[in-house]
Every structure is written in structure tokens, then in C-alpha cells.
Amino acid sequence: VKVDGRPYRSIWRADDGRAALIVDQTLLPHEFRVVRLETLEEAARAIADMQVRGAPLIGVTAAYGMALALLRDPSDAGVARAVSVLGATRPTAVNLHWALRQVEAAVSGVAPEARADTAFRLADRMAEEDVERNRALGAHGLEVLREAAEARRGEPVRVLTHCNAGWLATVDWGTATSPVYQAWDAGIPLHVWVDETRPRLQGARLTAWEMAGLGVPHRVVPDGAAAWLMRTGQVDLVIVGTDRTTAAGDVANKIGTYPLALAASDNGVPFFVAAPSPSIDWELSDGADIPIEERAAEEVTEVQGADPDGSVRAVRIANPGSDAANFAFDVTPARLVTGIVTERGVCAATREGLAALFREPGAGEEPPEGR
Ligand code: MRU
């Protein structure tokens, strides 16, 4: 995408080849700052502190983190340590482990002095593939929006989304936003309801910033408004991203996604999940087995914003002395999901639906994408 007329991705390799550059998402929308990651520790901190976030971007950042680690310690012990440090950053997004496994496998048969280069080249390729995968996913999702547009007969299609499954959460395009951006480019009239997404406000801060930057009509709503919007006929479809979707179609995504699916089901509103294949955990069937990240209570008891002079600071909003619980994700059961939008097409949220898209005929039980 373009930011102020300049093309950007959410992560890219520095010109000197020895660092990864990211957009610091903790500062948006108040400040657009590019940050240079040079070490394993910096990459791990960027993921844990959510300077980078969103399942696909977490995966690609982890791959660059492996390369940065191997620049300094390319031994077998160095590989194992990097996998363990990066693997401990955020537990829910399966893309993290998907990426780490791939880099670990790629460097295992390589001489130590060539390992960093191998890892960097793989990370570059993973970034390119992420862009292409989410472009393809968006082209399939575009057809869903086209159908909705026909039913609306020229009136804007009203899409509701949660959190940020946008270009900032991937390398480019986004997952849930890719169909939206492609539909907008194709001239389909749209209006996006952006759930603000407590507690970290990825919707209000990041999705709204993306939509504004691309000129897509949108309004931010408090999370609690979504069910009412559906009840009163103001939402044509919901589309969200996922951090981990099981082989049977249960969907882990940002906390607050499950109540959206319940409200959608009660009101006959289609509920779609945009899931690129690295976000599918072929080893799990039951969503109850997905690890749910718990984060610091301060993310709930405090809120960060900008003063009128532009300086960003956090203020306490909860009762002083009251503790808070901060479950970062929830799991929506497959039965509440209308369809899963992937890079290979749209399918039912069932084992059969996913398998039909991803298991080549005669491929037996072998999951796709080298796993
Ligand atoms: O905690 P975050 O901001 O990393 O959570 C992000 C989400 O929940 C996204 O919906 C998900 O990662 C899909 S991103 C394309």
C-alpha cells in the first residue's frame, strides 16, 4: 500500500541486508515510525510488545528474527535458542510456529556460516508469498462482496470487521480487508463498520487508519454496538481474521469475535473468516485445545492516546486498586461460521470443506505447505 504516496509493506529487509525494518504499530495512528530490528532479542520484543502483530506478520517477523539470531550464533545451539525465544513470544497465532519450523528445517542441513543467509532468503520468500496469498484470498472474498452488492442494488455493502486483519497484520493486503480493498478498487460501493476492539483498540487505531488512508468509507463503533447494528439491519456481512483455525473449522481470533458470531447467527447475518493456509492448524480439531494468550492487566485498566499537542501517553481508566483479566483471544465454534475465505477459495467451516481445498487428490493425510 501507499502511505503518503510512498509504497510500504509492514516489514522488509534493510538495504544492507542485515536487519529487518518494521512499522512500529504501537505508535499508530499518532506517529508513523519505521524501526530497525537487528537482533534476536529485538525481534522477539517487537512481537511480544506488539510493535508488529497480526498472525501472518508475526510469522514473517519470526522468520527474520531467526535470520538475525543466526548472524550472531549459527550453531545448532543457536538455532534451538532462537526457536525457543521466538516461540515463547505469543502463544495463539499458529503462524509463529509454522514459520519457525520452516526456518529450522531449511537451515538444519546447511553449514553454520551459510545459515543466516539461508534464513534471510527464506524470510524474504515468506514475505513475498504472504503478499501473493492474501491477494489471492482477497480475490475469492471479492466474489462474496460482489454477491452482496447485487442484493444491495447500488447501495453500499455494509461490512463489519473486528480488530485489525489489515495490511498491517500481514505483509500487504491484509486478510479480512483484502476482499474489501479489492472490492473498493473494483468500484463496489462499501461502508465498513470498524469495531474499536477493546482493550488495545486495533480497530479504532489501526483498521480505521488503514481505511482512511485508502479512502474506504468507514465508521468506528464501540464493540458493544455490533449486535445492535445487526439487529437493526445495518450489517450485510461480517468478516474477521484468525490467529488459528483448526482443521475442523473452529476459529481463534481477537477477544470479542465469538459474541459477534453469536449475534450474526441470531440475526441471519453471514459471518466469514479470512484464513490464509498458514493460519490453519492441521494438528488440532477442537478449538478448546487452542492456547489463549493472557496479557498484562494494564492493557485493560489503562488506555493510550494522544494529547492535543500530539504526545502519546497512557492514562488509568479503571478503578485504582482493581485488577483486570485480559484474555487476548476467543474461539468461535465452526457451526457459527458461514464460510472460510482462503487463498484457494471459500469453503464451509468443516473438516471436509477445508480438506477439499487443501489436500490434493491422492495426497493422503499430508497437510499442505510443507508441514
Ligand atoms: O493481538 P493481535 O493484534 O495480534 O490480534 C490480531 C488478530 O486478532 C487478527 O484478527 C488476526 O491475527 C488475523 S490478522 C490477518
Side-chain angles (χ1 to χ4, degrees), residues 14-316:
D15 286 344
D16 63 19
R18 297 174 67 83
L21 300 177
I22 58 162
V23 177
D24 185 345
Q25 300 189 26
T26 61
L27 302 175
L28 284 170
H30 312 294
E31 186 187 342
F32 185 85
R33 189 191 294 171
V34 172
V35 169
R36 186 177 161 97
L37 306 178
E38 293 187 345
T39 64
L40 165 65
E41 287 70 26
E42 285 174 1
R45 203 175 320 120
I47 297 171
D49 293 352
M50 297 175 65
Q51 287 178 298
V52 288
R53 38 143 308 278
L57 179 58
I58 289 171
V60 174
T61 308
Y64 280 113
M66 288 292 293
L68 297 172
L70 298 178
L71 275 178
R72 281 156 192 82
D73 181 0
S75 67
D76 287 353
V79 174
R81 180 167 168 272
V83 169
S84 137
V85 168
L86 290 161
T89 49
R90 297 197 69 191
T92 304
V94 71
N95 311 57
L96 174 66
H97 307 286
W98 172 86
L100 292 175
R101 259 200 296 257
Q102 280 194 62
V103 180
E104 195 179 17
V107 301
S108 71
V110 171
E113 57 277 13
R115 283 180 173 173
D117 189 49
T118 301
F120 267 123
R121 279 189 285 113
L122 178 53
D124 292 342
R125 201 175 79 219
M126 287 166 80
E128 290 304 327
E129 286 174 358
D130 184 82
V131 176
E132 174 48 30
R133 189 182 295 120
N134 290 321
R135 191 207 53 75
L137 181 155
H140 293 296
L142 168 61
E143 297 312 316
V144 173
L145 288 176
R146 258 194 225 289
E147 227 172 88
E150 270 165 38
R152 291 282 290 157
R153 300 169 179 277
E155 292 298 314
V157 178
R158 296 150 313 167
V159 178
L160 187 138
T161 191
H162 192 65
C163 194
N164 173 264
W167 72 265
L168 289 165
T170 60
V171 179
D172 205 349
W173 285 109
T175 61
T177 59
S178 185
V180 170
Y181 296 151
Q182 294 190 36
W184 186 245
D185 287 346
I188 294 174
L190 287 167
H191 177 272
V192 180
W193 295 114
V194 177
D195 264 7
E196 65 178 353
T197 318
R198 283 280 296 150
R200 287 189 66 107
L201 303 172
Q202 288 95 328
R205 296 192 303 110
L206 306 176
T207 304
W209 180 80
E210 284 192 20
M211 298 276 159
L214 295 168
V216 179
H218 66 284
R219 268 186 285 171
V220 177
V221 285
D223 300 334
W228 180 245
L229 289 174
M230 292 187 224
R231 184 81 197 147
T232 50
Q234 300 185 68
V235 180
D236 298 307
L237 62 94
V238 178
I239 184 161
V240 297
T242 177
D243 285 78
R244 190 185 300 227
T245 287
T246 70
D250 290 346
V251 173
N253 192 47
K254 180 53 54 195
I255 194 81
T257 300
Y258 173 45
L260 286 181
L262 286 171
S265 163
D266 195 43
N267 291 289
V269 174
F271 181 91
F272 288 94
V273 174
S277 56
S279 303
I280 300 169
D281 187 339
W282 301 100
E283 284 159 22
L284 290 189
S285 294
D286 187 346
D289 295 331
I290 298 175
I292 299 297
E293 178 181 12
E294 288 184 60
R295 296 185 60 86
E298 288 70 35
E299 292 184 355
V300 177
T301 59
E302 296 176 4
V303 71
Q304 181 185 284
D307 282 335
D309 70 3
S311 51
V312 174
R313 63 193 183 99
V315 293
R316 171 115 192 158

